[in-house]
Amino acid sequence: MLAQELISTVVPVLHPMDTGAKALRLMNEFHLTQLPMVVDNKYLGLVEEDRVMDWEDPDLLLETLNGNTFKPAVTEGAHFYEALKLFYDQKLSALPVVTRENDYLGMITKDNLLSILAQYNGVKEPGGLLVLEVEPRDYSLSEIARIAESNEVTILSVNTITNPNTARLEVLLKTNRQELQGLVATFERFNYTIKYMFSEELEEDLLKKNYDLLMNYISM
C-alpha cells in the first residue's frame, strides 16, 4: 500500500501568520503533537508542540519558525513501510505526504498506520499466535509453512526479529486456528523452540506485539 492511500484530509494545516496558541489549540483538538505549516499549497515544515510550548509568548506568529523548521515528509508514491520508518525514527504523531514538487496532499496519522498494519497482520481474523525461536541459519519460511499446512493451519502473517541478547531469531506467526497444541507438537518434533503461544489473545494486544516487532525490525 502506498502513502497516498493512507492520507487523512481531516487534519488541519497551519499558516505562518497563525499564532502559537492557535497551533496548540488545534493539536489538542486533533490529539496530535505536530501539525503541518503550508503556504500556497507548499509544505514548509512541521510545527511541534514542545517547541511552541517553550515560547514565552504563545501569541507569537509561526513565521518565527521560518528557516528553522522540522520538515519530515514522504512522497505520494512511497510504500507505507517508508512512512512507518519515519514515524519511528522521528517520533512522529503524523507525517505529511507531498508530491515531488513539494505540493502538500495531506497527513498520515498513527491511527492510519495502525489500521493498515492490522489488515496486513491479520489482526481482525480469528486465530492463535505462535512465537518460535530458531538459529538464523536454520530459519526456513518454506519449512515453517509446510509444517503448518501439514496440521491444516494457515499462516496469516509472519514477523521476525533477532533477539539482541541471544542472537537467535524470533518468528511470530499469526494463524487461523485457536487450538495450536497439535502444531506446537509438530514444531517440537522438528526441533523448533516454542517461546510463546497465545490462543485467545485480544486484538489490541496482538496488534501491539506485531507493531513493536515491526518497529524493532525496522530500526535495526
Side-chain angles (χ1 to χ4, degrees), residues 131-134 168 187-188 190-196:
V131 180
L132 311 176
E133 192 175 56
V134 301
R168 302 191 78 194
F187 273 123
E188 288 176 337
F190 281 84
N191 297 317
Y192 283 88
T193 298
I194 309 301
K195 188 167 185 179
Y196 304 114

Side-chain angles (χ1 to χ4, degrees), residues 49-179:
E49 181 182 58
D50 289 345
R51 291 188 63 187
V52 177
M53 289 182 70
D54 286 340
W55 290 0
E56 292 184 6
D57 182 3
D59 289 325
L60 283 174
L61 300 181
L62 296 178
E63 66 178 359
T64 304
L65 295 171
N66 279 353
N68 189 28
T69 53
F70 179 48
K71 200 175 178 180
V74 290
T75 58
E76 55 192 318
H79 190 271
F80 88 90
Y81 265 34
E82 184 178 338
L84 198 59
K85 187 176 190 305
L86 276 172
F87 265 87
Y88 182 83
D89 290 344
Q90 305 293 340
K91 306 296 187 292
L92 301 177
S93 64
L95 176 66
V97 181
V98 298
T99 67
R100 294 189 181 278
E101 292 74 34
N102 198 44
D103 293 320
Y104 177 77
L105 299 176
M107 295 282 276
I108 298 175
T109 66
K110 277 188 175 180
D111 287 344
N112 297 118
L113 279 179
L114 285 174
S115 176
I116 194 61
L117 278 173
Q119 295 178 46
Y120 271 92
N121 283 279
V123 170
K124 297 299 182 182
E125 302 294 329
L129 180 72
L130 195 61
V131 180
L132 311 176
E133 192 175 56
V134 301
E135 294 293 338
R137 65 177 179 274
D138 296 330
Y139 174 65
S140 170
L141 182 56
S142 60
E143 181 178 77
I144 290 171
R146 181 178 57 77
I147 292 171
E149 289 171 2
S150 71
N151 283 267
E152 298 183 346
V153 174
T154 299
I155 297 175
L156 301 178
S157 70
V158 181
N159 287 290
T160 62
I161 183 173
T162 301
N163 187 320
N165 297 319
T166 65
R168 302 191 78 194
L169 197 66
E170 293 184 11
V171 184
L172 173 66
L173 306 175
K174 171 65 192 297
T175 75
N176 69 330
R177 293 269 296 274
Q178 289 285 2
E179 201 289 307

